[in-house]
Amino acid sequence: MTNIKLIALDLDGTLLTHDKKISVRNLAALKAAHARGVKIVLTTGRPLKAMDFFLKEIGIADQENEYTITFNGGLVQRNTGEVLDKTVFRYSDVHDLYDLAEQLRIPLDAICEGDVYQIQSDQESRYATFNPALNFTSVDFSDLSSQISYNKCVSAFDAEILDRALAQIPEEMKNKYGIFKSRAQILEFCPKEAHKANGLAKLIAHLGIEQSQVMTVGDEANDLTMIEWAGLGVAMKNAVPAVQEAAKVVTPLTNDEDGVAWAIEKYVLEEE
């Protein structure tokens, strides 16, 4: 019997349908689990600002005793916005990644919380189409501020070009940074210690919850650490092979078929 006290959920390809909505069945399952005292923690590469609508829908927005893991574990936050723990890039890291992106001929955006600095290049970033709620500023690299820290960098471009670029990234860069695709058209660069398992480990230490009491649900490469780490790691039916192999459970349903609700009903609500 499981005793789940915290459910950590990826968004795209997991909780959200392909048209970026929380289904009726998924929402009902989340609310039922929350009503029984289970923490619902959205655990994502997005900044908090890009999740406000979903947090409101679930009923946990702007609350001091509710939490979100943002920037793939780089920030552990209360839903009021207060940061409990952070792992960020220095300007020199962004400089290294900009040089790499130029070599690979892919665009690069540097992100500081809700602000996205789209560094001018021959390739036009498509990140604004994926996260229109953020503030976008086009800058020449020479004008990028060295006085602030950055949460992550992203390259949003053709899937095939990003796949080719990923294969060409030197091992020394892969050893220095967390580099993975979070969606077909998004390649992400994060501080090495900023990953979802690390963010969740810091959060449960704050909450006094055991690792064995955490259920995580995800589908992409950036979910792998939390799927391996959790007491109950659940992969979506539509998850990439590595995530399915690491999971204790694979849902029989995709993100468009209420796979998250299936997992919550079976391993949280039924267990009650």
Side-chain angles (χ1 to χ4, degrees):
M1 177 177 275
T2 59
N3 179 26
I4 301 300
K5 292 190 175 178
L6 187 151
I7 302 169
L9 296 163
D10 172 56
L11 287 177
D12 299 300
T14 301
L15 177 60
L16 304 183
T17 57
H18 73 279
D19 55 354
K20 308 303 174 199
K21 292 183 169 62
I22 302 176
S23 72
V24 172
R25 183 180 168 192
N26 278 352
L27 189 59
L30 290 176
K31 288 184 178 255
H34 188 253
R36 297 184 187 192
V38 178
K39 288 288 182 198
I40 306 298
V41 179
L42 300 186
T43 305
T44 173
R46 301 181 188 209
L48 195 63
K49 184 178 178 183
M51 289 182 292
D52 192 50
F53 176 79
F54 302 121
L55 294 171
K56 283 178 178 167
E57 203 174 4
I58 297 164
I60 55 175
D62 304 318
Q63 294 187 28
E64 194 165 311
N65 63 342
E66 302 292 350
Y67 304 85
T68 300
I69 307 288
T70 57
F71 295 110
N72 295 306
L75 291 187
V76 180
Q77 296 181 264
R78 295 184 192 274
N79 288 353
T80 56
E82 180 190 345
V83 175
L84 300 179
D85 194 281
K86 66 179 180 178
T87 306
V88 294
F89 277 146
R90 296 161 303 192
Y91 175 79
S92 59
D93 295 313
V94 179
H95 200 306
D96 286 349
L97 293 170
Y98 171 70
D99 288 344
L100 176 66
E102 287 289 281
Q103 290 166 24
L104 297 172
R105 296 188 58 74
I106 57 175
L108 192 75
D109 297 350
I111 303 172
C112 176
E113 302 208 9
D115 296 318
V116 181
Y117 299 94
Q118 299 197 292
I119 303 168
Q120 293 163 5
S121 75
D122 295 337
Q123 290 72 37
E124 188 173 345
S125 169
R126 297 176 190 166
Y127 197 55
T129 63
F130 296 110
N131 282 295
L134 304 180
N135 303 318
F136 288 84
T137 305
S138 177
V139 296
D140 187 86
F141 184 77
S142 62
D143 294 325
L144 190 70
S145 174
S146 60
Q147 303 307 305
I148 61 174
S149 58
Y150 296 89
N151 300 99
K152 67 176 182 178
C153 293
V154 299
S155 183
F157 208 53
D158 288 338
E160 301 77 18
I161 292 173
L162 293 182
D163 285 336
R164 194 156 60 240
L166 185 55
Q168 294 172 356
I169 294 172
E171 281 303 311
E172 65 192 68
M173 293 296 277
K174 289 179 178 175
N175 291 334
K176 188 174 181 182
Y177 301 113
I179 304 174
F180 48 81
K181 288 185 81 178
S182 58
R183 290 162 73 172
Q185 296 180 54
I186 299 180
L187 179 61
E188 304 210 13
F189 303 87
C190 294
K192 196 70 173 177
E193 294 305 309
H195 56 76
K196 292 185 178 185
N198 208 359
L200 284 167
K202 290 171 179 175
L203 178 57
I204 66 168
H206 173 77
L207 294 174
I209 291 174
E210 299 295 323
Q211 189 173 338
S212 62
Q213 297 171 318
V214 178
M215 180 170 94
T216 59
V217 193
D219 73 305
E220 272 288 357
N222 62 326
D223 301 317
L224 185 59
T225 63
M226 74 171 184
I227 297 293
E228 292 173 330
W229 169 88
L232 181 63
V234 179
M236 300 296 289
K237 181 182 179 180
N238 51 284
V240 297
V243 171
Q244 292 199 26
E245 287 162 18
K248 290 187 173 70
V249 174
V250 178
T251 67
L253 305 172
T254 68
N255 63 306
D256 283 323
E257 300 167 329
D258 309 315
V260 164
W262 177 89
I264 294 173
E265 289 160 5
K266 183 171 180 64
Y267 295 103
V268 180
L269 302 180
E270 279 184 20
E271 294 293 349
E272 296 283 336

